[in-house]
Amino acid sequence: MKKIFFVSILILVLMYGCNLQQNTGGTSSQQTAGSSPVTGATLPSTTPTQTTVTTQPSSAPTQPTTVTTQPSSAPTQPTTVPTETTVTTQPVTVPTQPVTTPTQPVTTPTQPVTTPSQDAGEYIGTLYTREQLEAMDNSHLGCPSGINVPANTRPGYSIELDSRYKKYEAHFIGPDENKIYLTFTLGYEHNNLTSSILDTLKEKNAKGIFIIDLYYARTYPDLVRRMIDEGHIVGNHSANHHDLTTLSIDRVVAEIMNVHNYVLENYNYKMTYFRPPSGYFSERVLAIAQSLGYTTLQYSFAYVDWEVDNQPDPTSALQKMTRSLYNGTIYQFHTVSSTNAQVLGTFIDTAREKGFEFGLYE
């Protein structure tokens, strides 16, 4: 019985030990280090330390967490890049610079206007400087009509003016020889009378000097071309028929040269004779014309023939013309006069009967 008892006890102990080993593998997660009641169970106590290995993975995710926080801060960097919009504000200010630049050329064109007055030594034309012209007398003078003198007598005041201003190539009467000169002043057309006068000159084989302004040159090209083609002289009467003694030096130059250049370009004709509007002149005006290459051709006979609605009587007009026949008479006629067109042929015949020739002023 004792053997059986001890055997039973031994079996129980062995069974208990086996159960104990089996249970330590499953319950180690519930026991803390050193809490095992069995001293043999301290061996697996190192096993729980392996749980620290499992805690490392738990900390590992925290590392990616910090990693992700870095990208989150990275986007904040680009957001600072847009703050560099201050760079884009610079180009905005740049265009304002060219805006001020165009204002500089605006003032440039005004310089040529003021420059001539600053350069007193500048030549106006070929003969006189600006300083010389500014020093000349610009008093308003007129050309006398020549009708209130003894019949067939060279008027003394025309001779005096011719002598005084001949140095400027200005003429108020022709040379003292049996030639007379027909000059016609034109600003516009009336009833095609210029064509009629040209017909008469052609019929009588006489030449004339036709003095035109810019309006006439532009408006009546056929008549201007006919004057040139038929051997007449075409002269310059200025552009706008102003009193040139009231204008600046530069304006006088423009008044003369605008006509000159237009006729040269459109008719291939170089003008050389000039008559100031209404015969008004001054020493300065004559000098400017001379410096521009012109001979000023005034007149020693003129009468009121330009009023188209108040034409002089043909018989009276012819008497005035004939009474003024003398050596070197420079006649001024207006082609808008129906009276002139009517009596011109008769006057040419009468002058020739008295021994006069019709010449072109040279």
Side-chain angles (χ1 to χ4, degrees):
M1 289 294 292
K2 290 182 180 182
K3 288 181 179 181
I4 294 170
F5 178 77
F6 282 111
V7 170
S8 300
I9 291 299
L10 181 61
I11 291 168
L12 290 173
V13 171
L14 292 173
M15 290 177 62
Y16 179 79
C18 290
N19 289 334
L20 182 62
Q21 287 179 345
Q22 292 173 357
N23 291 333
T24 57
T27 61
S28 60
S29 61
Q30 298 176 356
Q31 294 176 349
T32 61
S35 63
S36 174
V38 182
T39 58
T42 59
L43 294 173
S45 65
T46 59
T47 303
T49 61
Q50 296 174 357
T51 59
T52 60
V53 176
T54 60
T55 59
Q56 291 174 358
S58 65
S59 62
T62 62
Q63 292 174 356
T65 304
T66 58
V67 172
T68 57
T69 59
Q70 291 175 355
S72 65
S73 62
T76 61
Q77 293 174 356
T79 57
T80 60
V81 174
T83 60
E84 296 178 0
T85 53
T86 56
V87 176
T88 59
T89 59
Q90 293 175 354
V92 173
T93 59
V94 172
T96 60
Q97 296 174 353
V99 171
T100 58
T101 303
T103 61
Q104 297 174 353
V106 171
T107 59
T108 303
T110 62
Q111 294 175 356
V113 175
T114 57
T115 299
S117 63
Q118 296 173 354
D119 186 4
E122 175 197 9
Y123 271 84
I124 305 299
T126 61
L127 299 178
Y128 305 105
T129 65
R130 181 177 298 276
E131 184 178 24
Q132 290 173 319
L133 291 173
E134 288 176 346
M136 291 181 181
D137 187 2
N138 196 40
S139 300
H140 174 97
L141 298 172
C143 185
S145 64
I147 59 175
N148 296 318
V149 295
N152 310 116
T153 303
R154 285 167 61 88
Y157 41 74
S158 294
I159 296 172
E160 181 184 350
L161 289 172
D162 191 82
S163 176
R164 183 186 306 172
Y165 296 111
K166 187 171 291 187
K167 62 182 177 180
Y168 299 117
E169 293 295 329
H171 301 281
F172 296 78
I173 192 172
D176 191 2
E177 54 188 39
N178 65 334
K179 282 188 178 181
I180 59 177
Y181 307 91
L182 300 176
T183 72
F184 302 90
T185 302
L186 304 88
Y188 63 98
E189 273 301 301
H190 179 66
N191 292 338
N192 201 32
L193 292 174
T194 300
S195 181
S196 176
I197 289 173
L198 286 168
D199 290 342
T200 300
L201 292 174
K202 186 175 182 179
E203 177 188 348
K204 300 296 183 180
N205 193 26
K207 304 301 181 185
I209 301 173
F210 291 83
I211 302 170
I212 65 174
D213 60 15
L214 186 57
Y215 174 80
Y216 197 95
R218 287 175 171 171
T219 309
Y220 307 102
D222 292 342
L223 288 172
V224 176
R225 176 55 60 190
R226 181 181 174 187
M227 296 169 194
I228 297 170
D229 291 343
E230 294 183 359
H232 304 289
I233 288 177
V234 177
N236 190 331
H237 200 40
S238 84
N240 299 295
H241 208 272
H242 294 311
D243 178 355
L244 300 185
T245 67
T246 66
L247 305 181
S248 68
I249 292 173
D250 295 310
R251 285 286 304 281
V252 174
V253 172
E255 285 290 313
I256 296 173
M257 294 308 296
N258 283 347
V259 184
H260 180 94
N261 293 333
Y262 183 86
V263 172
L264 183 62
E265 293 171 5
N266 291 274
Y267 298 96
N268 194 30
Y269 182 87
K270 183 178 180 181
M271 291 176 157
T272 57
Y273 288 94
F274 170 70
R275 176 173 292 163
S278 303
Y280 298 148
F281 72 98
S282 68
E283 179 186 26
R284 178 189 294 173
V285 169
L286 299 179
I288 292 173
Q290 180 193 24
S291 197
L292 295 176
Y294 276 89
T295 294
T296 297
L297 190 61
Q298 292 282 46
Y299 47 84
S300 60
F301 170 89
Y303 76 122
V304 181
D305 61 348
W306 59 85
E307 297 177 352
V308 295
D309 295 326
N310 185 28
Q311 281 294 288
D313 174 71
T315 301
S316 174
L318 185 58
Q319 289 175 349
K320 289 179 180 179
M321 296 175 192
T322 304
R323 189 174 182 273
S324 293
L325 279 170
Y326 47 79
N327 288 351
T329 309
I330 302 176
Y331 287 89
Q332 172 180 253
F333 298 130
H334 288 86
T335 60
V336 294
S337 168
S338 59
T339 296
N340 289 340
Q342 181 178 344
V343 303
L344 180 60
T346 303
F347 171 68
I348 292 174
D349 292 340
T350 301
R352 282 177 172 160
E353 289 172 0
K354 294 182 177 293
F356 291 97
E357 298 176 5
F358 291 89
L360 291 177
Y361 204 93
E362 297 178 359

